[in-house]
Amino acid sequence: MVGTRSGFTGELAPCGKVVDGEHYRDEDEAGLIIRDKYYRCGCRRILHLYHDGSIHSTSIRHNGTTVKERFSQDHGF
C-alpha cells in the first residue's frame, strides 16, 4: 500500500472554520480504504473502511475534542 496526499482549499473543518488542508488516501486490493483529512487549523477527519465491511469514522477538533464517533460492532473500542 502506498498512499497519496493532495491539498485542498476552503473546506469546513470540524471546529467550524473554513480552512485549507491535506487529504490522505490509501487502499489495498483486499478492500481496506483509508481517507483522512488534516486541516491547517489542527482538526482531523478519519474514515477507515475495513476488509470485513466495518467502518471507523471520527472527527476531531484542533483542541482534541471528538466531534462524532461511529464504530461498527467489529471495530468498536
Side-chain angles (χ1 to χ4, degrees):
M1 291 176 31
V2 177
T4 60
R5 293 185 183 272
S6 59
F8 61 82
T9 57
E11 288 196 20
L12 186 64
C15 66
K17 296 179 183 179
V18 176
V19 297
D20 301 340
E22 190 172 67
H23 190 151
Y24 176 78
R25 297 175 188 210
D26 201 357
E27 58 187 78
D28 67 12
E29 294 177 10
L32 176 68
I33 300 172
I34 297 172
R35 302 281 187 261
D36 296 342
K37 287 189 177 184
Y38 300 91
Y39 298 86
R40 191 161 286 156
C41 62
C43 292
R44 293 180 291 158
R45 278 205 172 101
I46 299 166
L47 175 65
H48 296 177
L49 296 108
Y50 295 96
H51 300 105
D52 62 2
S54 57
I55 299 170
H56 171 212
S57 175
T58 305
S59 295
I60 304 166
R61 291 186 178 139
H62 55 265
N63 65 2
T65 304
T66 301
V67 177
K68 63 179 179 177
E69 286 189 86
R70 290 186 314 216
F71 296 100
S72 69
Q73 41 188 301
D74 294 331
H75 291 282
F77 293 92

